Amino acid sequence: MDEGSGSDTGTGTGTDSSEVPDPAFLNPALGDFLVVSTQHVPKDIVVQKITLGNTQLLIDGQTAGTLGPGSALGELTGDRLRIFLHGALALGTHTLQLASLTPDGPRFSAELTMNVGAPDNPLPQVWTELDPEPRDVGDALLISGTPPDILLGVVSGGLDPTLRLYRADENAWADTPVLEASLKGYVPEVMSLGPGVAALTLPRPSGSDGAVVRVAYRRGLPGDAIVTRDLTIAPEPNIGPLQTAVDLSADLFRDAEFAALGRPFLLGDVLLTEFLAADDAETAHPGDRGIAHVRRSSDRSSWSAPERVPTAKPLDLDALGPALSMPQLSLGASISVRLGQRVTGLLSLSDAGAALISEPGEEVDLSPGAPAVLATISSSLGARTVAAVTPDRGVGIAFLGTSGKPKNTALTVTADKLPDARITAQPAAGVLFGYSAFLLPYGDAAPVHLVLGDGLRTYVLPLLDPEPLMCRAVVLMPSLGGNLEAPTVPLACLHGGTLHVGALKASLADP
C-alpha cells in the first residue's frame, strides 16, 4: 500500500490463546458494502472482541497495523473501526479483515469486501477569491513540503535571478517572504512547464528549534550542473555556501555524445534530477533518459557521486512532476515519474535511502506526448490519480490503484473541452468534495481550467467567477480544506509577472 499506517503492528500479546477472543465485524457482519470514489468522510464499521494494541486490520491481505493514535489510515477501538477517506479513490474492490495474534497463531474475523463505485451527484459550483493587492513579482512558482513547513517559492529570472520563499501561516500564505536567495547562473528550461528550482525544509533534529531550507537549481545551458545551498531561517538567518551536487563531468555521463541535466527534486537529504545522456545524439534509444540520484553526507558537507536510478531493463525515466499525498498531507515525499514514456509511477526512498519506483501492477498507458510533466494525487487504499500534460494542449488523466482489485483506466481529455491555447505551467493538484482536482493555467490566452475526476469520468470547468482567473502559473497549498463543508483551498496565481494569493472555493449549491 502507498501510505504507511503510522501505528504499531502489535506482534506480541503477552497473554495465552484462551484470553484472546476472535475479533468480529458487527455491522456489516458479512458480505460487502459500497463507498463512492469521492467519499471524504470516515467510514465507520461496528466491531467487537477487539484486543487493543493487538488486533490488527488487514486490507487486501496486508497489515495496516493496530490503528492506534497517529495512524494515517484510521482508528480501531473496542467497538468501532474508522477508516479515514479523503476522496480520489480508485474504482474496484478491497478486502477487510481483523486479526488478533496469539502464541498459537492469529485469530481472524470474517472478511468484508469494500466496493468503490463512481458517484451519482451533481458537480460542485467552483469559484476563486483573490486578495486585491499583489503580493510579489516573478516569473515562476514552486511549492513543497508538509504542514507546518509548506513553502511557496517565487522565482524571478533576468540578469540577477532570485528565489523568494513564503511559509504557510495558519492555512494562508505569510505576508512577507522568510528569505531571498540568489540563483546565480540559473537558466530556465522553457519546455519543462516548471522552474528548474526546488526548495524543501529539512527534517529538524530531535529537540532542535532550528529550521533549514535546502534550495537546488539547474545551472547553465544545456543543464550543465545542479547546485544546492542550505539556508538557515531559524533561530538566526544564515546563507550557506553554494555547492555542486552533480554536473556533466560525472562518470555517469562519460560516454554520452550529448548530455544535459533537467529539473531537480529534493527528498530530504537526497537530490534527484532528470537527465538526458545519449550515446547517439541523432538517434534516440531506450534508456537515454534517466534519473540521477545523489545523497548528502551525514555532516551535510558534500554530495555523493551521482548514480542512475535503476530499471530492470533499458527504459526511459522522465516527465518528473509533483506528487501530493492526501493521507500524509505532503507534497515532497515522492515524485511522479514516467517509465518508457508511457507508464506512470511514483519515485520514493526506502528506509535505507535507496531510490524505488512503484507502479500499478497492471500497465496502463498514459502518453499524450513528449515532452510531458506528471502530477499525481495519492489517496487512501492505494489509489492514485495522475494528470499528464504537454505544452501542446495534451491532457491525459489516469485512475489507478495499487491495492486490491482496482479498475485501472486512462482517459484523454478531449480537445473541445479545453482552450485552443498552450498550457503554461505544470498542473496544481488537490481535492474538492472528494473529487480529484487539477488546475491548468494558460497565461493570458484563457482562464485557468479545472479538471475534476471521479475515478471513471473527467469534467472540465473554466474558472470564471467572480471574474476569469488568468494565471501564467498556479499552485494549491497541500490541504484537506477542499473536503470541508465549505471547501477552501489556498492558492497562488502568477499573472503578468505579479503574484496574487487567494483561495479556491466550492459549494454544492450556487454560490
Side-chain angles (χ1 to χ4, degrees):
M1 298 187 62
D2 284 352
E3 310 297 341
S5 67
S7 63
D8 185 4
T9 56
T11 55
T13 67
T15 59
D16 61 41
S17 300
S18 62
E19 296 176 343
V20 180
D22 294 345
F25 294 113
L26 276 182
N27 185 21
L30 297 170
D32 54 10
F33 60 95
L34 176 68
V35 299
V36 295
S37 59
T38 56
Q39 181 155 337
H40 53 277
V41 296
K43 174 62 180 179
D44 288 343
I45 298 174
V46 181
V47 296
Q48 67 174 351
K49 299 182 180 179
I50 303 300
T51 306
L52 295 180
N54 176 327
T55 305
Q56 302 178 31
L57 174 66
L58 305 180
I59 302 178
D60 300 321
Q62 301 294 317
T63 181
T66 56
L67 303 189
S71 170
L73 292 177
E75 300 172 345
L76 181 60
T77 66
D79 58 4
R80 185 190 68 185
L81 167 64
R82 167 164 286 185
I83 302 174
F84 298 148
L85 299 173
H86 310 287
L89 298 176
L91 304 187
T93 62
H94 301 277
T95 60
L96 305 180
Q97 194 171 29
L98 301 170
S100 295
L101 305 183
T102 76
D104 297 330
R107 293 186 170 181
F108 295 101
S109 71
E111 190 175 83
L112 297 181
T113 298
M114 175 189 292
N115 295 301
V116 181
D120 186 18
N121 300 320
L123 290 177
Q125 301 291 324
V126 184
W127 68 99
T128 57
E129 294 180 358
L130 295 182
D131 292 350
E133 295 299 323
R135 185 67 57 90
D136 204 340
V137 294
D139 304 303
L141 298 178
L142 63 91
I143 189 169
S144 69
T146 61
D149 293 320
I150 298 172
L151 295 175
L152 169 67
V154 182
V155 179
S156 297
L159 297 177
D160 185 20
T162 57
L163 170 68
R164 286 177 296 281
L165 292 173
Y166 294 80
R167 302 179 80 178
D169 183 14
E170 295 183 356
N171 212 34
W173 302 116
D175 292 334
T176 57
V178 68
L179 60 84
E180 179 174 347
S182 171
L183 302 177
K184 185 178 180 180
Y186 167 67
V187 178
E189 184 181 2
V190 296
M191 297 300 290
S192 68
L193 291 180
V197 184
L200 185 68
T201 302
L202 299 180
R204 304 181 190 187
S206 178
S208 172
D209 293 330
V212 176
V213 172
R214 177 164 297 151
V215 174
Y217 66 93
R218 176 180 180 267
R219 185 178 67 186
L221 191 68
D224 300 329
I226 302 295
V227 295
T228 66
R229 173 172 274 156
D230 287 0
L231 308 166
T232 301
I233 58 177
E236 295 292 335
N238 180 58
I239 298 178
L242 194 67
Q243 293 187 312
T244 299
V246 56
D247 62 26
L248 297 181
S249 68
D251 290 346
L252 183 60
F253 313 111
R254 176 181 298 171
D255 299 325
E257 183 175 322
F258 175 81
L261 295 167
R263 295 174 59 192
F265 287 81
L266 292 167
L267 299 181
D269 276 329
V270 170
L271 182 147
L272 300 109
T273 180
E274 187 175 341
F275 68 81
L276 172 64
D279 295 334
D280 184 341
E282 286 76 32
T283 305
H285 296 88
D288 285 352
R289 298 179 181 274
I291 308 298
H293 167 279
V294 292
R295 172 168 286 279
R296 194 71 163 159
S297 61
S298 58
D299 61 0
R300 293 183 173 174
S301 63
S302 61
W303 290 96
S304 66
E307 300 178 1
R308 176 192 286 265
V309 173
T311 55
K313 56 185 178 180
L315 193 67
D316 284 332
L317 297 178
D318 68 351
L320 294 184
L324 171 65
S325 167
M326 298 312 302
Q328 304 293 345
L329 200 58
S330 68
L331 187 62
S334 57
I335 305 168
S336 302
V337 64
R338 187 172 61 172
L339 296 81
Q341 298 195 17
R342 65 185 188 89
V343 178
T344 177
L346 281 183
L347 178 61
S348 58
L349 301 177
S350 70
D351 292 340
L356 303 176
I357 295 178
S358 168
E359 57 183 294
E362 176 187 353
E363 291 189 356
V364 175
D365 287 3
L366 183 58
S367 52
V373 65
L374 305 185
T376 301
I377 301 170
S378 297
S379 193
S380 310
L381 305 173
R384 297 179 189 171
T385 308
V386 185
V389 302
T390 64
D392 60 355
R393 302 178 61 213
V395 179
I397 303 292
F399 301 110
L400 307 171
T402 60
S403 180
K405 297 180 179 179
K407 299 176 181 178
N408 293 341
T409 57
L411 307 173
T412 298
V413 180
T414 58
D416 61 346
K417 295 182 179 179
L418 298 170
D420 185 13
R422 296 172 66 88
I423 295 172
T424 54
Q426 65 192 20
V431 290
L432 278 177
F433 284 124
Y435 289 90
S436 59
F438 298 96
L439 297 183
L440 306 178
Y442 293 91
D444 293 329
V448 172
H449 279 55
L450 171 64
V451 179
L452 297 177
D454 64 8
L456 178 65
R457 300 155 295 217
T458 60
Y459 309 89
V460 181
L461 306 175
L463 296 182
L464 302 175
D465 296 321
E467 59 186 24
L469 181 68
M470 313 293 289
C471 301
R472 167 65 180 82
V474 62
V475 297
L476 291 173
M477 183 185 293
S479 169
L480 293 175
N483 285 337
L484 298 178
E485 185 176 348
T488 299
V489 184
L491 66 76
C493 167
L494 196 63
H495 175 61
T498 302
L499 173 69
H500 289 268
V501 299
L504 178 71
K505 297 191 173 186
S507 172
L508 293 178
D510 291 339

